[in-house]
Amino acid sequence: MRIMVTGAGGAIGPHVVNRLLDLEIRPVILDVRYPRHFLRRFGDRADLLRIDVQDGVSVAEAVRAHEIDTIIHMAALQGEANTHRAAGVRVNILGLINMLEAARVFGVKRFVYCSTRSVYPDFKGTPYGHPTYRPVTEDMPLEPERPYDICKHTGERYGAWYRATFGVEFAALRFAIPLSPERCLDINQRAIGIIHGVVRNAVEGRETVIPQGGDQRLDLIYVKDLAGAIVSAATAPRLTYDRYNIGSGQAVSLREFGDAVRGVFPSARIEIGPGPEFAPGHYCVFDITRAREDLGFAPRYGLSAAVQDAAAELKVLLEEGATL
């Protein structure tokens, strides 16, 4: 089995590569840059190519030369796509089309596309939001708002068209909020950044104060469970559907998350005020029935175990001087 993984140098990719290696699959990695810690871990265990997905000719040649039969497409311009919108379109849409075209031309059988929960509507004020959190299924009407989310929605539509028109077995995986040690290296003020900031502050002995949002619930999935789902989608006998929700399927409050971090670091100073909406974000809980039944997906990490493992891996990354 020849699997190509694009954009593996980020916060999720290393765990996907590890999972493939556990299955004795040596992946072909395609990215524009590789952090030093990534090169140290995988430089001699995977085929690393420095290719931009915007370069359609080089992408096609790589797919042909390595006889790729499965693509896991993670390469994306994320937060920057909302401020550098033309660049976001070039990477997130044109780059995807380059990958899909290479798949079509050279007979790639399966294409796994990493999407986002943000293609769904903002569920505030509905039964799917606070405080009831009715589970969200894949058939929910989509309503992306930001440029990045619009790009991901567009990518899903393109992939579904390639599946229907050319027979490329395409599936989009819509991620809940991932907890990743690598993400702790790059903190921002959106929901995902604040969550990871709690872990990093605890590891480094700093205080965390979040004025409000302790009652906000969200679907948080540990990156190793997420990587397992991605690899399962790449290796499953068949993909019945063209879209799957990938999350824990559980509603965890920010206060409960803080308590879990304090359970690992009893001396951690964490203060979280009451109420919802601690930061802008899409807050919902996924129905993961489809992924369970079709991919055999079952999250293995509970909240405490996820925090403990993430903290341990973050310590190693910080000791290595890792950057994202």
Side-chain angles (χ1 to χ4, degrees), residues 114-120 148-149 152 156 173-175:
C114 297
S115 189
T116 173
R117 70 194 182 283
S118 300
V119 297
Y120 290 115
Y148 172 71
D149 312 332
K152 283 297 183 181
E156 289 191 17
L173 307 186
R174 296 171 180 163
F175 298 166

Side-chain angles (χ1 to χ4, degrees), residues 26-161:
R26 181 184 176 99
V28 178
I29 312 298
L30 190 152
D31 212 332
V32 292
R33 57 177 291 275
Y34 297 98
R36 288 193 301 272
H37 67 276
F38 188 95
L39 293 172
R40 283 194 294 269
R41 293 180 185 184
F42 304 119
D44 60 351
R45 297 196 292 157
D47 299 320
L48 306 185
L49 309 178
R50 293 185 184 271
I51 295 176
D52 193 323
V53 294
Q54 298 175 81
D55 182 353
V57 173
S58 296
V59 162
E61 175 57 24
V63 171
R64 184 202 64 78
H66 290 272
E67 299 180 333
I68 300 300
D69 55 53
T70 301
I71 292 173
I72 298 172
H73 185 55
M74 306 180 68
L77 194 65
Q78 297 182 349
E80 299 94 329
N82 298 314
T83 52
H84 298 84
R85 290 169 287 280
V89 169
R90 288 193 296 269
V91 174
N92 297 337
I93 297 179
L94 297 182
L96 168 66
I97 293 173
N98 286 337
M99 297 303 305
L100 286 167
E101 271 297 288
R104 178 187 69 82
V105 171
F106 295 107
V108 172
K109 295 180 176 62
R110 182 168 297 178
F111 197 107
V112 178
Y113 177 62
C114 297
S115 189
T116 173
R117 70 194 182 283
S118 300
V119 297
Y120 290 115
D122 182 348
F123 291 114
K124 182 179 178 181
T126 77
Y128 301 94
H130 185 77
T132 51
Y133 299 100
R134 181 183 298 173
V136 174
T137 68
E138 291 86 350
D139 296 325
M140 173 70 64
L142 305 185
E143 195 175 320
E145 295 179 354
R146 299 178 304 155
Y148 172 71
D149 312 332
I150 294 167
C151 285
K152 283 297 183 181
H153 180 209
T154 302
E156 289 191 17
R157 296 293 297 274
Y158 264 111
W161 185 78

Side-chain angles (χ1 to χ4, degrees), residues 19 110 173 225-241 244-247 288-300:
R19 182 64 182 141
R110 182 168 297 178
L173 307 186
D225 282 331
L226 182 56
I230 294 168
V231 173
S232 291
T235 58
R238 72 181 189 284
L239 297 178
T240 306
Y241 305 98
Y244 296 87
N245 287 338
I246 307 297
I288 57 173
T289 302
R290 185 178 287 186
R292 286 185 185 276
E293 294 179 350
D294 214 38
L295 308 180
F297 170 61
R300 296 185 298 119

